[in-house]
């Protein structure tokens, strides 16, 4: 009985695939290779761009190199019109954040690298001014908050009471929402992955 059952099992296992199963397998294989081809032809969209030159500072987290506007990745500075409170008095923290970026970049060649652009077409970049890494430096000095990166630098600024941490303030994202300004997506890893997929299939 066991030999007969084994023979039936072997006979059943050699049964040829149906015509529709073959067509499905061929179709899936073709779709896979077409997807690989599409990704390969669009990988250049994810290549890193680098811009170098003298910087024109727009606000606390945006600068211009030549004709390229760069939004500093992973940080969020007070908006230019935003005020904060220190020692019971309001002060122009947005203007002071811009001034902090001016001081970091003044007289230095600035290099920014990145591959994503934001909703305004600005390059999301990590920037250096001479030997200074600008993005984390602004957060550690207390003139920007972490926005998807640099949480450690924010913790240091908060503990030392530097910049806006010397008093009270609204997070820039909350200030924009309250004043009906356009919101910005955080520059975290999940957002980067979603942006990469969107860029590949755009």
């Amino acid at each position: 009985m066991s030999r007969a059952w084994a023979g039936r099992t072997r006979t059943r296992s050699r049964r040829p695939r149906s015509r529709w199963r073959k067509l499905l397998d061929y179709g899936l294989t073709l779709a896979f290779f077409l997807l690989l081809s599409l990704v390969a032809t669009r990988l250049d969209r994810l290549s890193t761009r680098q811009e170098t030159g003298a910087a024109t500072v727009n606000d606390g987290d945006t600068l211009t190199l030549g004709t390229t506007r760069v939004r500093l990745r992973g940080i969020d500075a007070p908006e230019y019109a935003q005020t904060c409170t220190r020692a019971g008095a309001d002060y122009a923290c947005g203007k002071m954040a811009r001034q902090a970026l001016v001081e970091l970049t003044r007289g230095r060649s600035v290099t920014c690298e990145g591959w994503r652009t934001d909703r305004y077409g600005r390059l999301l970049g990590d920037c250096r001014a001479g030997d200074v890494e600008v993005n984390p430096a602004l957060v550690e000095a207390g003139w920007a908050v972490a926005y998807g990166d640099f949480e450690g630098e924010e913790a240091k600024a908060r503990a030392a009471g530097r910049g806006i941490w010397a008093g009270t303030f609204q997070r820039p994202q909350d200030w924009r929402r309250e004043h009906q300004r356009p919101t910005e997506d955080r520059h975290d890893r999940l957002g980067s992955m979603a942006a990469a997929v969107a860029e590949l299939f755009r």
Side-chain angles (χ1 to χ4, degrees), residues 160-180:
R162 300 190 192 112
I164 55 179
W165 297 102
T168 59
F169 65 94
Q170 277 186 301
R171 294 231 169 210
Q173 180 77 328
D174 296 332
W175 189 91
R176 288 191 292 269
R177 189 179 298 112
E178 183 176 299
H179 291 80
Q180 299 181 339

Side-chain angles (χ1 to χ4, degrees), residues 57-87:
V57 175
N58 305 102
D59 57 31
D61 53 30
T62 309
L63 51 81
T64 301
L65 295 175
T67 59
T68 302
R69 294 185 70 210
V70 181
R71 170 67 163 85
L72 300 179
R73 184 201 63 83
I75 76 172
D76 201 14
E79 295 294 323
Y80 188 72
Q82 185 173 345
T83 59
C84 303
T85 302
R86 183 170 54 199

Side-chain angles (χ1 to χ4, degrees), residues 3-152:
R3 290 180 182 175
W5 177 258
R8 287 198 297 272
T9 302
R10 284 195 295 271
T11 301
R12 193 175 296 124
S13 65
R14 289 195 297 268
R15 182 178 298 168
R17 293 178 299 170
S18 70
R19 178 183 176 187
W20 292 112
R21 178 60 186 272
K22 287 181 180 179
L23 288 174
L24 177 61
D25 290 345
Y26 293 148
L28 289 174
T29 301
L30 178 61
F32 176 73
F33 283 107
L34 286 175
L35 179 61
L36 284 182
S37 176
L38 175 64
V39 170
T41 58
R42 300 197 175 197
L43 280 177
D44 61 315
R45 295 188 178 186
L46 304 183
S47 60
T48 300
R49 290 170 53 190
Q50 184 179 92
E51 303 289 342
T52 301
T56 300
V57 175
N58 305 102
D59 57 31
D61 53 30
T62 309
L63 51 81
T64 301
L65 295 175
T67 59
T68 302
R69 294 185 70 210
V70 181
R71 170 67 163 85
L72 300 179
R73 184 201 63 83
I75 76 172
D76 201 14
E79 295 294 323
Y80 188 72
Q82 185 173 345
T83 59
C84 303
T85 302
R86 183 170 54 199
D90 291 343
Y91 70 101
C93 57
K95 292 181 180 179
M96 293 184 73
R98 179 186 180 277
Q99 188 60 33
L101 183 52
V102 168
E103 295 297 331
L104 278 176
T105 58
R106 176 178 288 148
R108 297 186 176 102
S109 177
V110 176
T111 299
C112 298
E113 294 184 349
W115 64 268
R116 291 175 60 188
T117 54
D118 68 5
R119 62 187 298 173
Y120 304 106
R122 301 175 297 186
L123 177 68
L124 286 177
D126 291 277
C127 299
R128 292 190 318 277
D131 296 329
V132 177
E133 299 291 337
V134 174
N135 306 43
L138 283 170
V139 177
E140 192 164 351
W143 293 113
V145 296
Y147 204 59
D149 205 346
F150 311 113
E151 285 82 3

